[in-house]
Amino acid sequence: MKINFLDLDRQYQEIKPEIDQAVKRVIDRQYFILGEELINFEKKFAGFLGAKYTIGLNSGTDALVLGLKALGIGAGDEVITSPFSFIATTLAITETGATPVFVDINPATYQIDETKIEAAITDKTKAILPVHIYGSPCQIDKIMEIAQKHNLRVVEDACQAHGATLNGKKVGTFGDLGTYSFYPGKNLGAYGDGGGIATDSLKLYDKLVMMRNYGQKVKYYHDEIGINSRLDEIQAAVLSIKLDYLEKWNKRRQEIALAYREGLRGYKFQKMAAGGVSCYHVFVIENEDRDGLMKYLSENGVQTLIHYPVPIHLQKCYKELGFEAGSFPNAEKACGRIVSLPIYSEMTDQEVNEVISLINKFDH
Ligand SMILES: *Cc1c(COP(=O)(O)O)cnc(C)c1O
């Protein structure tokens, strides 16, 4: 049996008539940027999240960059974040000119260890940028308390966490801003690049709407230094359709995660925050012989990946930050042991069982 890490075509086949019709509708209309599809999607996504506003953008990375800039963060400021994430989380901080300040993760949850955040706060700290890693909610309630106590802004990286909740509230709606990616492989994925921001602040919404469109409110009059970062009409139309299926798809991911948790013997699994519900963008297990396990699974037809093999503070691009191995031991240790198993809504029970029985036969 061949089991791919992800199979987007299966999802497309499920919704093909709706998607094809929507894409055709946009092309027939010949209106591609900042039109009614985007307005519809932004309203629908805000409704789904329980946020007042959402702003459609070109990518999750842009959402993080514009979000930080809209809060006035730039050179001379420090932003506290996790070294255990996709690189874009920290790229956004350095793109604004601010300095990333890493706080190690809790090895059981893989989330930024909120009990270590206060010790990292200085006079220059302006914001906290926590990540809901793997689609599982971080302890954002406690992080908000710390932020309020120290008058810091919070931008949530919910780029893997569309629909995840903490105490019934969608992640990405706790902080000043929540950021999302609609990269094709995400739980809510476009047919190209896409991203978005959620906020309850009209002021930030107005500012971000200008910033994504060359800093203009009125054509050719530029109040802000903006960029070009807009979710296009075709992507917005695709995402509006897919949003109707997101809860159902996330439920199936949760079913598969439960099967893994109950079926895999001798493994520890990502610990959830109390009151948290994951949307299971990624499902990881740890193994001392991670590379051996991956090779064995690959030889038996199962594709796996590593999210992510190198912690951000040790990436070559950040060598000037001056971190050495041992700086954030929990993140570093996890990077050497984790492997991500296939988890997508269209996986069959037979495929899930095959992954489980193969892993249970692997010596560890
Ligand atoms: C995907 C992702 C991003 C970046 O999103 P893009 O749309 O690819 O730019 C940022 N942070 C995390 C945690 C992600 O998984």
Side-chain angles (χ1 to χ4, degrees):
M1 200 189 289
K2 176 101 188 70
I3 303 171
N4 290 326
F5 187 75
L6 184 62
D7 189 337
L8 287 175
D9 188 51
R10 285 191 199 171
Q11 190 192 64
Y12 174 51
Q13 295 311 321
E14 183 188 345
I15 54 176
K16 188 174 187 317
E18 283 177 274
I19 294 280
D20 291 358
Q21 193 188 29
V23 171
K24 186 171 185 304
R25 176 177 76 230
V26 175
I27 295 173
D28 285 344
R29 194 188 293 133
Q30 289 290 300
Y31 197 97
F32 297 105
I33 304 289
L34 296 178
E36 62 189 83
E37 303 286 346
L38 179 62
I39 292 168
N40 286 340
F41 173 68
E42 286 176 339
K43 283 206 184 112
K44 200 165 161 178
F45 193 46
F48 170 82
L49 294 172
K52 283 210 178 112
Y53 313 99
T54 71
I55 302 109
L57 303 167
N58 212 31
S59 70
T61 305
D62 274 1
L64 287 158
V65 174
L66 291 179
L68 291 170
K69 286 189 177 170
L71 292 170
I73 287 154
D77 298 334
E78 291 178 355
V79 178
I80 292 173
T81 194
S82 170
F84 189 82
S85 181
F86 181 56
I87 189 79
T89 312
T90 297
L91 285 180
I93 299 171
T94 51
E95 176 64 26
T96 68
T99 304
V101 173
F102 298 112
V103 168
D104 205 359
I105 55 166
N106 174 331
T109 62
Y110 305 110
Q111 312 283 3
I112 189 167
D113 186 343
E114 70 282 352
T115 65
K116 294 181 180 155
I117 289 178
E118 280 196 293
I121 295 173
T122 71
D123 293 350
K124 292 182 179 164
T125 310
K126 285 282 157 55
I128 310 173
L129 174 33
V131 184
H132 302 285
I133 196 74
Y134 301 150
S136 165
C138 71
Q139 211 72 61
I140 186 66
D141 50 350
K142 295 192 179 139
I143 293 171
M144 291 309 298
E145 282 171 21
I146 297 166
Q148 269 143 24
K149 184 171 154 200
H150 296 271
N151 192 26
L152 303 175
R153 309 276 69 78
V154 174
V155 177
E156 296 175 70
D157 185 338
C159 286
Q160 301 185 347
H162 321 70
T165 57
L166 185 70
N167 300 324
K169 185 173 163 65
K170 296 271 188 337
V171 305
T173 65
F174 287 79
D176 296 276
L177 299 166
T179 61
Y180 301 85
S181 165
F182 306 125
Y183 179 78
K186 300 291 166 89
N187 288 34
L188 180 60
Y191 285 162
D193 269 317
I197 291 181
T199 185
D200 283 342
S201 158
L202 179 60
K203 209 173 126 211
L204 287 171
Y205 169 79
D206 279 342
K207 191 159 184 171
L208 285 160
V209 163
M210 276 199 273
M211 286 173 82
R212 74 168 169 194
N213 192 31
Y214 321 111
Q216 67 189 11
K217 200 181 266 169
V218 180
K219 210 173 169 79
Y220 306 135
Y221 292 83
H222 305 273
D223 300 347
E224 298 273 342
I225 298 177
I227 61 168
N228 173 353
S229 181
R230 300 163 307 205
L231 186 69
D232 72 63
E233 290 288 285
I234 290 180
Q235 303 311 335
V238 166
L239 289 167
S240 289
I241 291 164
K242 286 196 175 193
L243 186 53
D244 290 333
Y245 294 86
L246 183 59
E247 298 273 24
K248 179 184 142 198
W249 289 338
N250 281 349
K251 276 215 174 69
R252 174 65 184 153
R253 284 174 184 262
Q254 287 157 357
E255 245 173 56
I256 297 167
L258 188 65
Y260 282 152
R261 281 173 182 265
E262 288 178 345
L264 292 169
R265 288 194 298 270
Y267 285 94
K268 278 191 308 179
F269 307 104
Q270 182 179 23
K271 194 176 165 219
M272 295 294 141
V277 177
S278 177
C279 67
Y280 285 104
H281 178 57
V282 174
F283 190 95
V284 298
I285 57 174
E286 287 189 33
N287 195 301
E288 208 48 62
D289 182 16
R290 184 260 313 277
D291 296 345
L293 175 59
M294 287 182 78
K295 184 161 172 281
Y296 159 82
L297 286 172
S298 159
E299 283 163 2
N300 285 282
V302 176
Q303 193 189 7
T304 56
L305 294 174
I306 304 170
H307 298 95
Y308 299 89
V310 180
I312 296 175
H313 63 284
L314 297 181
Q315 291 284 356
K316 200 165 160 190
C317 66
Y318 286 129
K319 63 177 182 297
E320 309 223 312
L321 293 177
F323 290 105
E324 283 170 16
S327 310
F328 303 101
N330 295 339
E332 290 165 30
K333 189 171 174 211
C335 287
R337 294 170 53 93
I338 44 168
V339 52
S340 309
L341 307 182
I343 187 163
Y344 47 98
S345 351
E346 300 76 20
M347 270 180 98
T348 64
D349 289 344
Q350 198 194 1
E351 289 169 326
V352 175
N353 291 334
E354 170 77 359
V355 175
I356 293 170
S357 75
L358 279 171
I359 294 173
N360 282 341
K361 279 183 224 144
F362 181 75
D363 236 6
H364 72 282

